[in-house]
Amino acid sequence: MILRAENKMQPIKHYVKMLLLVSFAALILDVIISMASISLVQQQSAQYVQDTADLYIDKINHNFSYLNHFAGWTLANDEDVETMREHGTAEPEFIKARNNLYKRFAELQKSYGKEYNFFLYLSDRRFLLNTAPMSLSYPEYLTLKKQMTDYAEDKNIYDKFYSQWTTIRLNDNYYIINIVPYHESYMISLISTDELIRPLREIKLGGNGYVSLANAEGTTVTDPVSAREQSVQPFDKSMLLKLLQIRTTVIREFSNASFYVELSVQFGTFEKIMIAQLLVVLLAVIIACYFCFMMLYFQRKVLAPIKNFSNNLALLTSNGEGIDFESSQIVELEKVNRQFIEMVKQINKIKIDLYERELEKQKIQLDYMKLQIKPHFFLNCLTTIYSMAQMQMHKEIEQMTLSISKYFRYIFQNDRHFVKLEDEIEHARTYLEIQRQRYPHAFQYRIELEEHTAGVKIPPLVLQTFIENAIKHAVSRENEVLVQLSVERRADKEKDEDWTEIRVSDNGPGFPNAVLEKLVNGMPLDQSEGTHIGIMNTLQRLEYLYDRQAEVRFSNNEGGGACVILCLPNFPKDEPEAEGST
């Protein structure tokens, strides 16, 4: 009851309503965010354009003020200008003074830009001289000379032009001009209107944004050029609804000038992005509504019968028998209901049969592996006892018989998969004592067991296989062999678990190279001639009992002899306790 209260289920209509509500809220939120984002971007872009234009216009105003002051000072104080007034144009003094003046204005032009042109006009001689490299064409130069002749005859020229920059048209091009009069001399500063506003055209003003310069009458004296270097039409507010484009116009005036600059910033791209976002959201809402409709239809025609089928599956008993299924309008689902019950019954029966067969197979395989020991050891022991009896070695016969009895009792009475390590060590000691009685003075053995190994369990008859292999291949009548058995407990900090490391080594000839190579590479050994059966059986048992987590390492010692290291994980928790040998 508590579980049902905490996990209260809702009908599908509830989720449909929630889906529609969330979609509508997301739509409204998207519209608000889009409008706010576009407004913010417009404000930031307009402010950026205004700040950039102000910086540039301040720089131009400073240039205009300095050039005006420099021109007035030159006319009033420069000796070269005075010399040019007093001498004819062909006299050496005039030419020298003209060259000196040209050099100074050429340096001035390098500081303020090659787009600036500087001229000296002597009205009494109607002589116009460029005092720096000029960018005007010759027809424009002649037009400027004619204009200066007309200006010189105007008595109000001082009021019109002194400290005042204004626009002038030379043929088909507009220029910004400043005239500084002094007696019969005039210093002229000239710059093209397009060159003046060229840096402002590098500002990002949108795809069709433009910069233009207008005079005091509002006449545009430059061609509006977009950021794409294409001519555009000036902004017309009537185009707003037609093209869905929004422009922001920034106007900035120059000080001591009769013209101003106009920057038109286009934001149409942002509105297009907003429309695209709205269309995407609208499409999502349409899809959500269609999905909700399909869910309602699917719920009535499909989900309801499937839900009934699912409830019936949950009520199936452990034997595969279910309650009576309610009739369904779907023929295929009704057939599945009936067939499923029969399938569950068959699966349970097959699982039980397979489980029993697997257990029987494993038991037979383990028993076979344990008992797959050649009888030559038993026969050799009987032969040894017979030889001792002939030599009337009664005490040795008693000890040998007792050891053989303990040896075979451990083998045949042990029917567990795992035994205590102490019992397995004692069995290995018994085997070694039997071999010492058979081969006296042929070998010695040493067993080292750590205290922490108490309670450890390993598979039975594992140690005997490798110790028997050491006795068989290492012991000889020529040299005394040392067989060592050591057991240690190791800790793996990364895996947070312990394992048992068992080392069996000798100082005999070691493994043959061909056999050692196969053992290291995990390749099976040849058992066709009845050899290597014990090693292969032991490896198979370890692989099965430890689920391939046990590790066996084979090597030859540097000083000679074979070495086998067994790394065995902990004893499985679900394994029944092993009974000790008696």
Side-chain angles (χ1 to χ4, degrees):
M1 295 300 292
I2 296 178
L3 183 60
R4 292 183 179 178
E6 292 178 352
N7 299 278
K8 184 179 180 181
M9 299 182 63
Q10 299 290 346
I12 192 171
K13 293 182 179 180
H14 172 77
Y15 297 104
V16 172
K17 293 180 180 178
M18 293 297 297
L19 181 60
L20 292 176
L21 181 61
V22 172
S23 301
F24 181 76
L27 176 62
I28 300 299
L29 183 61
D30 182 75
V31 172
I32 296 174
I33 293 176
S34 298
M35 297 299 295
S37 300
I38 292 174
S39 176
L40 181 61
V41 172
Q42 288 180 351
Q43 294 176 6
Q44 292 180 346
S45 298
Q47 187 63 40
Y48 162 75
V49 171
Q50 293 177 7
D51 294 342
T52 305
D54 289 341
L55 290 175
Y56 180 71
I57 290 173
D58 289 343
K59 178 183 177 183
I60 296 299
N61 288 332
H62 180 269
N63 293 346
F64 283 174
S65 177
Y66 180 82
L67 293 176
N68 184 271
H69 175 76
F70 184 81
W73 184 90
T74 301
L75 288 175
N77 302 290
D78 194 277
E79 295 179 355
D80 292 324
V81 175
E82 184 66 24
T83 301
M84 294 173 69
R85 290 197 194 101
E86 296 175 353
H87 296 80
T89 57
E91 296 180 11
E93 291 82 0
F94 182 92
I95 296 174
K96 182 179 179 180
R98 184 188 63 181
N99 292 337
N100 292 336
L101 190 65
Y102 189 91
K103 291 180 181 179
R104 285 198 299 273
F105 274 90
E107 291 296 327
L108 181 66
Q109 189 185 57
K110 291 181 180 179
S111 300
Y112 287 89
K114 295 181 179 180
E115 62 272 11
Y116 284 91
N117 300 273
F118 301 99
F119 300 90
L120 175 64
Y121 180 72
L122 303 177
S123 61
D124 56 344
R125 305 175 193 176
R126 293 189 178 183
F127 181 76
L128 180 64
L129 172 69
N130 62 304
T131 59
M134 67 176 183
S135 58
L136 275 68
S137 63
Y138 186 70
E140 291 176 339
Y141 170 80
L142 295 179
T143 303
L144 176 63
K145 182 177 180 181
K146 183 178 181 305
Q147 288 278 14
M148 288 305 303
T149 302
D150 296 338
Y151 289 153
E153 296 176 355
D154 190 354
K155 296 180 180 180
N156 298 322
I157 186 174
Y158 185 86
D159 297 331
K160 290 182 178 179
F161 292 101
Y162 184 71
S163 299
Q164 182 75 15
W165 292 74
T166 185
T167 59
I168 185 175
R169 184 171 183 176
L170 302 179
N171 295 344
D172 295 331
N173 298 321
Y174 282 94
Y175 289 85
I176 304 298
I177 189 171
N178 175 256
I179 303 174
V180 179
Y182 184 78
H183 299 298
E184 300 299 326
S185 303
Y186 301 88
M187 187 61 69
I188 304 167
S189 300
L190 191 72
I191 181 173
S192 171
T193 55
D194 289 327
E195 290 294 336
L196 183 66
I197 65 172
R198 183 176 297 278
L200 293 178
R201 287 176 174 170
E202 297 179 0
I203 303 175
K204 295 181 180 179
L205 304 176
N208 291 322
Y210 63 88
V211 180
S212 64
L213 202 66
N215 56 20
E217 291 76 20
T219 303
T220 302
V221 295
T222 56
D223 294 331
V225 179
S226 68
R228 302 174 182 174
E229 297 296 332
Q230 298 177 350
S231 297
V232 298
Q233 295 295 330
F235 172 54
D236 183 4
K237 294 182 179 179
S238 63
M239 299 171 62
L240 178 60
L241 297 178
K242 296 180 181 179
L243 303 178
L244 292 176
Q245 295 180 346
I246 296 179
R247 295 175 185 262
T248 297
T249 302
V250 178
I251 297 177
R252 286 292 182 268
E253 297 181 353
F254 294 87
S255 60
N256 299 325
S258 61
F259 51 87
Y260 60 90
V261 66
E262 179 180 344
L263 299 93
S264 179
V265 188
Q266 180 194 3
F267 298 104
T269 304
F270 301 108
E271 279 66 31
K272 293 179 181 178
I273 294 175
M274 181 190 70
I275 294 174
Q277 290 178 340
L278 295 179
L279 291 177
V280 171
V281 174
L282 181 60
L283 179 62
V285 171
I286 294 175
I287 295 176
C289 294
Y290 177 77
F291 180 71
C292 293
F293 173 77
M294 292 301 299
M295 288 180 64
L296 291 174
Y297 180 81
F298 190 75
Q299 190 269 342
R300 187 177 65 177
K301 295 296 184 181
V302 179
L303 292 182
I306 292 179
K307 183 179 179 181
N308 181 43
F309 177 74
S310 177
N311 293 335
N312 291 332
L313 295 183
L315 296 175
L316 286 174
T317 63
S318 59
N319 295 328
E321 298 178 359
I323 62 174
D324 293 335
F325 286 87
E326 297 180 2
S327 177
S328 174
Q329 296 180 355
I330 302 177
V331 178
E332 291 80 3
L333 188 59
E334 183 70 18
K335 291 182 179 179
V336 171
N337 290 340
R338 301 303 174 185
Q339 293 175 357
F340 185 79
I341 295 178
E342 297 298 328
M343 182 182 67
V344 171
K345 292 180 179 179
Q346 295 178 6
I347 289 177
N348 288 336
K349 183 178 179 181
I350 292 174
K351 287 173 62 178
I352 294 174
D353 292 343
L354 290 177
Y355 182 74
E356 292 178 351
R357 292 179 183 178
E358 185 66 21
L359 289 179
E360 185 66 22
K361 177 182 177 181
Q362 293 174 0
K363 185 176 183 303
I364 293 174
Q365 183 178 8
L366 284 176
D367 292 341
Y368 173 76
M369 290 180 177
K370 290 181 182 179
L371 297 177
Q372 198 174 20
I373 303 175
K374 288 184 177 181
H376 66 85
F377 175 73
F378 179 69
L379 297 177
N380 289 337
C381 291
L382 293 179
T383 302
T384 301
I385 293 175
Y386 176 76
S387 299
M388 291 180 179
Q390 287 182 334
M391 292 183 291
Q392 295 182 359
M393 301 172 63
H394 303 291
K395 185 176 181 180
E396 287 79 1
I397 292 174
E398 292 178 359
Q399 186 176 357
M400 184 71 168
T401 305
L402 181 61
S403 298
I404 294 175
S405 175
K406 290 174 60 178
Y407 176 84
F408 285 102
R409 183 183 297 113
Y410 181 83
I411 291 179
F412 295 111
Q413 289 187 0
N414 196 331
D415 57 354
R416 302 286 185 178
H417 295 337
F418 290 86
V419 296
K420 294 180 180 180
L421 178 62
E422 301 92 302
D423 296 340
E424 185 71 6
I425 294 293
E426 184 62 28
H427 176 70
R429 193 190 305 274
T430 300
Y431 173 79
L432 290 171
E433 287 295 333
I434 293 175
Q435 295 293 3
R436 283 185 61 183
Q437 294 180 18
R438 292 184 58 202
Y439 308 106
H441 309 296
F443 73 94
Q444 296 289 333
Y445 69 88
R446 182 186 304 164
I447 298 178
E448 298 177 355
L449 184 63
E450 287 188 351
E451 297 180 358
H452 301 291
T453 57
V456 175
K457 294 180 175 59
I458 65 172
L461 305 181
V462 170
L463 301 183
Q464 179 190 337
T465 301
F466 299 105
I467 293 177
E468 180 181 354
N469 188 72
I471 296 296
K472 178 179 179 181
H473 297 283
V475 173
S476 65
R477 297 294 184 180
E478 298 177 358
N479 300 316
E480 187 179 53
V481 176
L482 176 63
V483 178
Q484 300 185 71
L485 171 62
S486 62
V487 182
E488 298 180 359
R489 291 286 289 173
R490 302 285 186 179
D492 190 343
K493 296 182 179 180
E494 295 182 358
K495 298 182 179 180
D496 193 19
E497 62 181 14
D498 300 336
W499 75 86
T500 304
E501 181 178 293
I502 303 175
R503 180 187 298 266
V504 180
S505 62
D506 60 70
N507 57 354
F511 292 106
N513 293 333
V515 175
L516 181 60
E517 181 178 0
K518 290 185 177 181
L519 291 174
V520 171
N521 296 326
M523 300 173 61
L525 300 178
D526 184 15
Q527 305 178 52
S528 58
E529 297 181 359
T531 58
H532 310 303
I533 295 178
I535 293 179
M536 297 309 300
N537 281 348
T538 302
L539 294 178
Q540 293 177 14
R541 289 176 59 203
L542 293 176
E543 180 179 0
Y544 169 74
L545 293 175
Y546 287 101
D547 193 20
R548 299 184 178 181
Q549 295 183 5
E551 182 180 0
V552 183
R553 304 170 190 168
F554 297 90
S555 63
N556 285 332
N557 297 323
E558 294 182 0
C563 180
V564 181
I565 300 177
L566 289 80
C567 298
L568 306 179
N570 286 334
F571 173 74
K573 295 181 180 180
D574 56 348
E575 184 69 23
E577 292 291 333
E579 296 180 0
S581 60
T582 58

